[in-house]
Amino acid sequence: MIDLEFAINTISLGSLYALLALGLVFVYGILKLINFAYGEYIMIAGYAMYVLGGFGYVPWYVTLLAAVLFAALVSYTTELVAFRPVRTKSMTAMLVTSFAVSIFLQNFVLITVSPRARAVKFPPVFSQTLTIAGATVPVRNLLIIGSTVVLLTLLTIVMKKTVLGIAMRAAADKFTTTRLMGVPANLVISATFIISGFLAGVVSVFWVSRSASVDPLTGSMPLLIAFIATVLGGMHSLQGAVIGGFVYGLLFNLLSIMLPATMISYRDAFMFVIVILFLLFRPEGIWRKGYTEERVG
Amino acid sequence: MLKVENLYASYGAIRAVHGISLEVAEGELVALLGINGAGKSTTLKAISGVLRPIQGSVMLYGEEIGNRKPEAIVKKGISLVPEGRDIFGGLTVEENLRLGAFASYDRARYKEDLEEMFGLFPILKERFHQAGGLLSGGEQQMLAIARALMSRPKLLMLDEPSLGLSPAMTDQIFELIVTLRERGTTILLVEQNAERALEIVDRAYLLATGSLEFAGTPDEMKRKVDLTSVYLGGDEDETCEVRL
Ligand SMILES: Nc1ncnc2c1ncn2[C@@H]1O[C@H](COP(=O)(O)OP(=O)(O)O)[C@@H](O)[C@H]1O
Ligand SMILES: [Mg+2]
């Protein structure tokens, strides 16, 4: 039952969820804000692929790259326009702002494009399969694993070896003290939103390619998954987010093969039970270590 | 070099500092004394920009810096070692020092300054690649001071550097302050351990409930102020009790 096919698909799903959770935790780490607009960056990148793909003459790799960068840009813009003005206000103001941004972006595409789903074109490799040692694996899943390895490596280098990365880690722990070192608050916060949006963009490519369509509510499921994964793994560190993503992927795939066919539609309910158990018995997640709760002032 | 005039600062509705004026001249070692809750930390926070003054002015070399952000003020040359040290526990000693140099980074100078810090604090060289959180209290205080010095501050502000340290470690920190001052660093020192501080400083200010109570040389202060009242009522100075 646990064969190569299962292993590769689980690692792939876990990778996707790890990137997803990482994008959410990046911002949470600095602002202590669960950004409810995070799913919308994914949705927006989907629309970017829809629009660019619709032109017909834009090469697909340009489309995908542009969509990823666009998600980062939108994330950065929401920081500038919506979050920055209320940053020093209460936590509630920040949360309400993130809801407002989410609703705004959903309604924006609903009005300018359509309330209904739109088909997004993907290159054929996204729907092809490969046979490795007898296991049939979608190429898409291998691309996810590859992208995740590259991104996690890059992010690790950025966070450990660059001054900006070190400053971001410091700011997640002690924001005010980091400013006392001369690190501009806005620089750190903008950088986290850009990285968060970039991750959302990469996730979007793979998420949207599953159904090859996008609608205004495309972002809600990934937001929920990211949230659950961070609850499982731990909110307070990037490692926790990655672990949570993989654990979520594993649990989900295990439930998929272990539940009897009649109960498969209750898979999500089982996931919620697991989350509730976590919240009750290990609210800090699997990975306990991490930074403190100091809020940005 | 530093001139604070009629400074008011508050935490929301809570007024913590009302109308403080003080001055620090180039090369001076000045103490800001007072019991717990007198407003010493608040004053340093207001000077460093962590807390925006609601009234009054903070001038550095004649330039008004009272409404600047903390990241801008450290670039101007004021470095704060916050109360409770506040090192980055998850970062290595090296990374802590690297961030300390953020405000005025220059590759060649950075190497030089590191060597200098290793001279002042040999323990930091030994612990260079360890997480800051694994250091002892005294070592963390040294790291916090070294981190602040990495920006080559014109004015170094220390907020209760001896807090919670063993008597031996307290001695070391006080010796270090004297060394730094001899090297020409201008220092504003906040201490609850008033008697100890008065032994080393040029001048001192005494704060009580957010206002200046007294200003003068250590001799004047010892003559005119009942010092027991200054450090009684402190709750954390058991470990840094004066032993003369
Ligand atoms: N973060 C804060 N929020 C509200 N009140 C505070 C805060 N920090 C200090 N205070 C209050 O401000 C006053 C001065 O505190 P502080 O400057 O920390 O005193 P000191 O450093 O001299 O012990 C005290 O009454 C204290 O309770
Ligand atoms: Mg204090």
Side-chain angles (χ1 to χ4, degrees):
Chain A
M1 200 163 71
I2 310 252
D3 52 11
L4 186 63
E5 201 173 308
F6 178 85
I8 292 180
N9 291 339
T10 299
I11 293 172
S12 155
L13 191 66
S15 300
L16 187 66
Y17 291 172
L19 293 183
L20 196 49
L22 203 50
L24 191 67
V25 163
F26 245 97
V27 168
Y28 181 82
I30 304 286
L31 292 181
K32 314 302 169 209
L33 163 79
I34 294 167
N35 183 5
F36 284 96
Y38 178 62
E40 269 43 85
Y41 308 146
I42 294 168
M43 179 271 290
I44 280 285
Y47 277 93
M49 290 183 270
Y50 159 70
V51 170
L52 288 174
F55 289 139
Y57 51 79
V58 184
W60 63 268
Y61 50 88
V62 175
T63 300
L64 299 190
L65 183 67
V68 172
L69 295 179
F70 188 64
L73 177 70
V74 170
S75 175
Y76 173 55
T77 310
T78 60
E79 191 267 311
L80 276 188
V81 175
F83 293 107
R84 187 171 293 185
V86 293
R87 199 186 81 212
T88 52
K89 308 287 191 300
S90 69
M91 200 63 233
T92 319
M94 287 288 274
L95 267 183
V96 170
T97 303
S98 86
F99 277 117
V101 170
S102 166
I103 292 167
F104 172 83
L105 290 174
Q106 285 178 10
N107 282 280
F108 177 77
V109 294
L110 192 142
I111 291 164
T112 56
V113 186
S114 161
R116 276 182 312 212
R118 292 294 179 197
V120 181
K121 287 192 208 105
F122 279 90
V125 308
F126 274 78
S127 44
Q128 286 162 355
T129 57
L130 261 179
T131 310
I132 309 169
T136 310
V137 190
V139 175
R140 194 178 141 272
N141 287 6
L142 298 175
L143 288 174
I144 292 176
I145 297 174
S147 312
T148 305
V149 169
V150 170
L151 277 179
L152 289 186
T153 310
L154 276 178
L155 275 179
T156 307
I157 293 172
V158 167
M159 297 307 281
K160 296 260 180 200
K161 299 290 173 206
T162 71
V163 192
L164 181 62
I166 297 172
M168 284 163 75
R169 279 159 57 217
D173 187 13
K174 290 172 175 155
F175 193 80
T176 307
T177 313
T178 308
R179 297 181 73 182
L180 279 173
M181 305 293 109
V183 179
N186 289 337
L187 173 73
V188 168
I189 295 172
S190 296
T192 48
F193 270 89
I194 289 169
I195 293 176
S196 170
F198 187 88
L199 289 168
V202 174
V203 168
S204 179
V205 168
F206 296 111
W207 185 272
V208 172
S209 74
R210 280 213 282 219
S211 61
S213 75
V214 61
D215 66 77
L217 295 180
T218 289
S220 33
M221 195 61 198
L223 173 70
L224 190 63
I225 292 171
F227 182 65
I228 294 176
T230 51
V231 169
L232 294 178
M235 269 282 180
H236 300 290
S237 68
L238 302 178
Q239 292 90 328
V242 172
I243 292 169
F246 278 102
V247 169
Y248 188 113
L250 178 66
L251 288 176
F252 191 81
N253 275 358
L254 282 177
L255 285 175
S256 304
I257 57 170
M258 292 191 325
L259 288 177
T262 48
M263 292 184 71
I264 212 83
S265 50
Y266 296 110
R267 205 166 39 184
D268 288 330
F270 278 95
M271 283 308 298
F272 281 120
V273 170
I274 293 170
V275 168
I276 289 167
L277 289 178
F278 255 88
L279 285 174
L280 283 175
F281 297 108
R282 201 170 164 110
E284 69 278 46
I286 297 168
W287 189 262
R288 284 173 195 249
K289 275 197 276 182
Y291 25 78
T292 53
E293 280 294 330
E294 189 204 356
R295 265 213 59 214
V296 171
Chain B
M1 69 193 300
L2 177 79
K3 190 168 185 180
V4 176
E5 265 176 358
N6 201 27
L7 182 76
Y8 285 77
S10 65
Y11 300 94
I14 306 168
R15 276 276 186 85
V17 160
H18 0 247
I20 288 182
S21 300
L22 59 87
E23 269 181 69
V24 182
E26 192 103 47
E28 246 187 338
L29 170 53
V30 175
L32 193 54
L33 308 173
I35 61 161
N36 223 342
K40 307 179 298 292
S41 298
T42 306
T43 306
L44 294 197
K45 282 186 207 168
I47 294 172
S48 61
V50 170
L51 204 62
R52 194 159 286 203
I54 45 176
Q55 200 186 312
S57 96
V58 181
M59 312 259 264
L60 184 69
Y61 292 117
E63 184 190 353
E64 177 63 48
I65 55 165
N67 43 21
R68 295 293 190 88
K69 295 176 183 172
E71 52 261 40
I73 288 176
V74 64
K75 288 195 170 100
K76 292 273 170 209
I78 299 182
S79 212
L80 170 67
V81 178
E83 193 170 358
R85 330 189 227 291
D86 239 6
I87 57 139
F88 304 112
L91 270 53
T92 63
V93 169
E94 177 180 17
E95 290 167 336
N96 271 279
L97 294 174
R98 178 62 189 82
L99 281 187
F102 189 97
S104 58
Y105 184 74
D106 172 286
R107 186 188 286 262
R109 237 178 60 173
Y110 177 67
K111 294 262 153 64
E112 230 175 81
D113 290 354
L114 266 188
E115 286 308 318
E116 201 177 340
M117 290 311 130
F118 292 159
L120 281 169
F121 313 94
I123 189 76
L124 296 185
K125 188 168 187 175
E126 272 170 49
R127 302 286 165 96
F128 201 50
H129 299 292
Q130 275 185 30
L134 297 177
L135 272 55
S136 74
E139 290 164 359
Q140 291 192 7
Q141 188 58 265
M142 291 179 184
L143 176 58
I145 296 173
R147 186 182 64 179
L149 288 172
M150 288 301 287
S151 68
R152 294 199 175 183
K154 297 180 177 106
L155 173 67
L156 179 68
M157 303 197 297
L158 302 168
D159 195 347
E160 303 209 31
S162 69
L163 189 74
L165 299 186
S166 69
M169 194 49 88
T170 303
D171 289 346
Q172 265 197 49
I173 294 289
F174 272 93
E175 270 169 39
L176 172 77
I177 294 170
V178 172
T179 309
L180 289 178
R181 175 262 165 79
E182 279 162 4
R183 290 174 14 161
T185 314
T186 310
I187 300 173
L188 180 56
L189 169 69
V190 160
E191 261 298 334
Q192 264 194 52
N193 196 334
E195 236 164 295
R196 192 70 193 271
L198 286 176
E199 289 171 17
I200 59 169
V201 299
D202 300 314
R203 285 189 306 112
Y205 292 92
L206 179 62
L207 272 184
T209 56
S211 319
L212 269 191
E213 195 92 317
F214 189 85
T217 63
D219 283 339
E220 289 167 352
M221 192 164 290
K222 279 179 199 158
R223 257 185 284 120
K224 295 193 183 141
V225 181
D226 173 18
L227 281 180
T228 51
S229 72
V230 174
Y231 59 94
L232 286 180
D235 54 7
E236 286 200 82
D237 54 10
E238 236 84 281
T239 48
C240 43
E241 194 68 67
V242 215
R243 302 162 308 121
L244 293 170

